[in-house]
Amino acid sequence: MDRSIIESIPHIGEIHAQHGEFKGALPQATRTFSERMLTMNRIAPSIEEAIRRVGLKDGMTISFHHHFRNGDYIVNLVMDVIARMGIKNLTVAASSLNDVHSPLIGHIENGVVSHIETSGMRGELADRISHGLMDFPVVFRSHGGRAAAIESGELQIDVAFLGAPSCDPYGNANGYSREQDNAASCGSLGYAKLDAMYAKHTIILTDHIVRFPNAPFGIPESNVEYVVKVDAIGDAQGIMSGATRFTKNPKELLIAKTAADVIEASGYFYDGFSMQMGSGGASLATARFLREKMEKNNLKCRFALGGITGQIVEMHEAGLIERILDVQSFDLVAAESLKNNRFHQQIDASYYASIVNEGAAVNQLDFVVLSALEVDTDFNVNVLTGSDGVIRGAIGGHPDTADGASLAVVVCPLTRGRIPSIVKKVNTRVTPGATIDVVVTDQGIAVNPRRPEIRERLIKAGLPVFDIERLEARAERIVGTPAPIQYHERIVGVVMYRDNTIIDVIRQVKDVDV
């Protein structure tokens, strides 16, 4: 039959027949590996050339991830190249910023950066922004809120610059390497995964190019346009800074033991429960006390979620936690576990906490243990600004997990030095009180009036439960009432709730006369 005369097929319609030879310099089957690599790989010779190829221009939005934490080299490296190229008026949409990113101050002053969207910031950059560095307010989003903004198109990324500890020539990238030890391992690339998926252009920067295929991968080649080899992507010491620690502080240990007792009595501690724990001293210690209770009562955790620590890994390897869903690895033990343990899964930020994702894992949490800088008598929580009004933290997944979990437990000391943690009104409202169930301090527990059944269970268990107003009054008696922070009217930060509505603003701090 002459196939060339077939012009249409019933129920399918018009067709276009294939004619002649396939295009290509060599038939695929006859190409050597080297020839395929030369004609198909995505390696660009430099950051500058990759930027030229993707067409970055004034006024566009670029993104970075924060899995390298305070050891990150990528943001400063890329921004220096962009500045030399004369590109201006960019929006930097980083999943979070840290002390190491203070060179952004210069790029803001010289007009390279005009807008910032992030989960948080610290150090000199945060201090300068708090005192009015930028013409436009910084937009602060939770990890889930950022994911939702990207998915909905509210935050559109033109070019994502994503560091990866290993990548093959075609763009398959991961947070560790299977071929050799990699000092810059960061583990999960959970926040980078979504950027790579939705950005118009994605450039991977790596100091470790491996053979194809770099599998399993955190970011697939289908989401990558170019790969650039650099000398170093980060400092291993800084990448694992913030890294987890076992507290010896008596106050933190008391809070942790009480938090574990609260969880045990709450009704959400059963065989097959799910949880998320923080990486702070009290949160880590809470996990230790929970482990003792799990072993004593022969209970297992169905899954642990979120930022993962070595302690969670140890519980997994001991058979106490069945699955780990990892959006960010907090230490080297967690990073190694992601490489070696079959049921340690890296997830993206949408799967983790996006409000537009009906399957978000935060909605499956039985309980979450969260920290706080301040909690007020309406149970609102501040994790973003300090007692002086200066930005010094990050929203992270705080409001996402508090909203999604069946039980949200906040742990904090009643006072820090001469500063109360339980106050009449928080400086900055980040997580609404309606989503917080229990506050645990070293001097008592407060239960949200919305959860009378929890209060009844805790009292029945003999735990020291008080009205939150009583805890606030006790803190005030101990340290007094701090002088109110002096602000200008100018807004330097806009705080978004996880549904990307505005929950609060941050105003410029007035300089204090010495």
Side-chain angles (χ1 to χ4, degrees), residues 37-54:
M37 191 175 79
L38 286 171
T39 58
M40 297 172 62
N41 78 61
R42 296 169 182 178
I43 296 177
S46 67
I47 297 173
E48 184 172 347
E49 179 59 26
I51 290 172
R52 284 201 181 95
R53 291 181 186 180
V54 298

Side-chain angles (χ1 to χ4, degrees), residues 97-140:
L97 294 167
N98 221 312
D99 302 55
V100 72
H101 300 123
S102 60
L104 280 174
I105 294 169
H107 297 305
I108 293 167
E109 291 175 332
N110 64 23
V112 175
V113 176
S114 57
H115 297 73
I116 292 178
E117 294 211 10
T118 186
S119 174
M121 59 177 62
R122 297 171 174 84
E124 186 182 1
L125 174 64
D127 185 79
R128 289 288 305 278
I129 286 174
S130 298
H131 287 88
L133 172 67
M134 297 192 70
D135 293 332
F136 297 93
V138 173
V139 176
F140 291 95

Side-chain angles (χ1 to χ4, degrees), residues 44-196:
S46 67
I47 297 173
E48 184 172 347
E49 179 59 26
I51 290 172
R52 284 201 181 95
R53 291 181 186 180
V54 298
L56 182 66
K57 292 180 174 61
D58 291 1
M60 287 187 170
T61 297
I62 60 177
S63 77
F64 301 92
H65 69 72
H66 71 286
H67 293 286
F68 299 147
R69 289 176 284 278
N70 211 36
D72 177 57
Y73 290 169
I74 298 299
V75 173
N76 296 338
L77 186 64
V78 170
M79 294 310 305
D80 285 347
V81 173
I82 288 173
R84 288 197 299 270
M85 294 176 71
I87 301 171
K88 301 281 189 177
N89 192 30
L90 296 177
T91 295
V92 171
S95 54
S96 201
L97 294 167
N98 221 312
D99 302 55
V100 72
H101 300 123
S102 60
L104 280 174
I105 294 169
H107 297 305
I108 293 167
E109 291 175 332
N110 64 23
V112 175
V113 176
S114 57
H115 297 73
I116 292 178
E117 294 211 10
T118 186
S119 174
M121 59 177 62
R122 297 171 174 84
E124 186 182 1
L125 174 64
D127 185 79
R128 289 288 305 278
I129 286 174
S130 298
H131 287 88
L133 172 67
M134 297 192 70
D135 293 332
F136 297 93
V138 173
V139 176
F140 291 95
R141 302 183 195 268
S142 71
H143 289 326
R146 181 178 187 270
I150 291 172
E151 292 171 299
S152 68
E154 181 175 335
L155 173 56
Q156 297 186 26
I157 301 168
D158 292 297
V159 185
F161 295 92
L162 307 176
S166 69
C167 187
D168 66 34
Y170 304 93
N172 297 295
N174 219 332
Y176 57 81
S177 173
R178 286 195 172 276
E179 295 192 357
Q180 64 187 58
D181 292 334
N182 190 351
S185 289
C186 66
S188 176
L189 292 175
Y191 299 118
K193 287 166 71 71
L194 199 72
D195 290 40

Side-chain angles (χ1 to χ4, degrees), residues 277-295:
M277 311 297 292
S279 62
S283 295
L284 274 176
T286 300
R288 291 169 63 189
F289 287 116
L290 282 177
R291 176 173 183 165
E292 294 174 4
K293 293 178 184 296
M294 291 169 67
E295 291 172 337

Side-chain angles (χ1 to χ4, degrees), residues 12-30:
I12 292 178
E14 183 180 354
I15 67 167
H16 301 279
Q18 190 276 323
H19 298 284
E21 296 293 331
F22 288 105
K23 293 182 179 180
L26 289 171
Q28 186 69 23
T30 66

Side-chain angles (χ1 to χ4, degrees), residues 241-311:
S241 71
T244 49
R245 62 184 175 88
F246 289 106
T247 183
K248 297 180 180 178
N249 184 311
K251 185 184 287 190
E252 289 187 335
L253 288 172
L254 175 58
I255 294 169
K257 183 181 184 306
T258 305
D261 291 341
V262 165
I263 291 167
E264 183 180 36
S266 68
Y268 294 100
F269 191 60
Y270 61 94
D271 193 34
F273 69 87
S274 56
M275 68 176 180
Q276 178 166 330
M277 311 297 292
S279 62
S283 295
L284 274 176
T286 300
R288 291 169 63 189
F289 287 116
L290 282 177
R291 176 173 183 165
E292 294 174 4
K293 293 178 184 296
M294 291 169 67
E295 291 172 337
K296 178 181 177 181
N297 296 288
N298 195 29
L299 301 180
K300 290 186 178 181
C301 172
R302 181 162 38 98
F303 71 88
L305 176 66
I308 301 301
T309 65
Q311 188 173 35

Side-chain angles (χ1 to χ4, degrees), residues 3 27 75 105 168 204 218 254 300 369 395 401 432 474:
R3 292 182 175 84
V75 173
I105 294 169
D168 66 34
I204 298 291
L254 175 58
K300 290 186 178 181
V369 178
I395 298 174
T401 52
R474 183 178 296 177

Side-chain angles (χ1 to χ4, degrees), residues 280-346:
S283 295
L284 274 176
T286 300
R288 291 169 63 189
F289 287 116
L290 282 177
R291 176 173 183 165
E292 294 174 4
K293 293 178 184 296
M294 291 169 67
E295 291 172 337
K296 178 181 177 181
N297 296 288
N298 195 29
L299 301 180
K300 290 186 178 181
C301 172
R302 181 162 38 98
F303 71 88
L305 176 66
I308 301 301
T309 65
Q311 188 173 35
I312 294 297
V313 168
E314 289 170 7
M315 293 171 72
H316 172 60
E317 293 178 345
L320 295 172
I321 297 174
E322 294 177 2
R323 302 288 193 277
I324 297 176
L325 301 179
D326 186 347
V327 73
Q328 181 179 13
S329 306
F330 276 128
D331 56 35
L332 193 56
V333 174
E336 285 296 303
S337 171
L338 186 64
K339 177 168 67 174
N340 298 323
N341 287 322
R342 177 183 178 189
F343 295 117
H344 185 161
Q345 175 74 40
Q346 62 180 308

